[in-house]
Amino acid sequence: MKFSELIRLLIKDYFIIFGILIIGTVFLAPEDTINRDYILLTMTFAAIGDLPGIVLWSRSELTEEKKHLRSFIHFILLEVVILTYAGLIGIVSGWKEFVAFAVQILIIYIMVRFITYRKDVATANKINNKIKKLNILKNKEQVS
């Protein structure tokens, strides 16, 4: 993967994470929760949550085993970074709050991966359909 592709992926994931956080807040929190400071904090958490994605980057193609290992490392690093940041700024303080926040991070992580997976499947289907059309055209030309 080229480094520019990694940057594109990080930007895409950032907006997915940010969107999930805001949408979740709209549905689950009181109306007065969303203000300028909350949006800035959400943007910060989305950026911090996106940075460990660098672990997924490699110049060469990875085996499935290495991809899974990097995904696991990415998740652990993500939990550590976000929980540390949340503890430093005082959002969570007790162990129960840390556990609850870690579960929330897990749920958001699963949602981001699911959305990314669905988008990748849609892109792969488009590519496959175009290849099929090209092959059909090529076969028609060979028959003629």
Side-chain angles (χ1 to χ4, degrees), residues 29-60:
E31 291 179 24
D32 61 343
T33 301
I34 299 179
N35 56 32
R36 181 182 57 89
D37 292 337
Y38 180 80
I39 291 174
L40 292 173
L41 184 65
T42 303
M43 291 171 70
T44 305
F45 268 103
I48 289 171
D50 198 23
L51 287 177
I54 295 171
V55 169
L56 303 173
W57 180 67
S58 173
R59 289 180 191 227
S60 60

Side-chain angles (χ1 to χ4, degrees), residues 33-103:
T33 301
I34 299 179
N35 56 32
R36 181 182 57 89
D37 292 337
Y38 180 80
I39 291 174
L40 292 173
L41 184 65
T42 303
M43 291 171 70
T44 305
F45 268 103
I48 289 171
D50 198 23
L51 287 177
I54 295 171
V55 169
L56 303 173
W57 180 67
S58 173
R59 289 180 191 227
S60 60
E61 189 68 28
L62 298 173
T63 64
E64 284 297 315
E65 184 178 310
K66 287 183 180 180
K67 284 180 187 178
H68 292 303
L69 178 63
R70 285 191 185 207
S71 293
F72 179 74
I73 292 169
H74 173 255
F75 175 70
I76 299 299
L77 186 60
L78 178 73
E79 287 275 0
V80 169
V81 167
I82 291 177
L83 288 173
T84 301
Y85 181 68
L88 289 173
I89 64 173
I91 290 180
V92 291
S93 57
W95 70 271
K96 288 181 183 179
E97 288 182 3
F98 274 99
V99 170
F101 200 57
V103 170

Side-chain angles (χ1 to χ4, degrees), residues 3 7 11 16 27 32 43 45 50 52 62 72 89 100 104 107 111 120-121 126 131 139:
F3 192 73
I7 298 300
I11 291 170
I16 292 171
F27 287 116
D32 61 343
M43 291 171 70
F45 268 103
D50 198 23
L62 298 173
F72 179 74
I89 64 173
Q104 291 173 8
I107 292 168
M111 291 173 70
D120 290 346
V121 166
K126 286 180 186 177
I131 290 171
N139 289 338

Side-chain angles (χ1 to χ4, degrees), residues 11-34:
I11 291 170
K12 179 183 72 168
D13 284 353
Y14 169 80
F15 284 109
I16 292 171
I17 294 165
F18 179 69
I20 289 171
L21 291 173
I22 293 296
I23 290 169
T25 302
V26 166
F27 287 116
L28 299 175
E31 291 179 24
D32 61 343
T33 301
I34 299 179

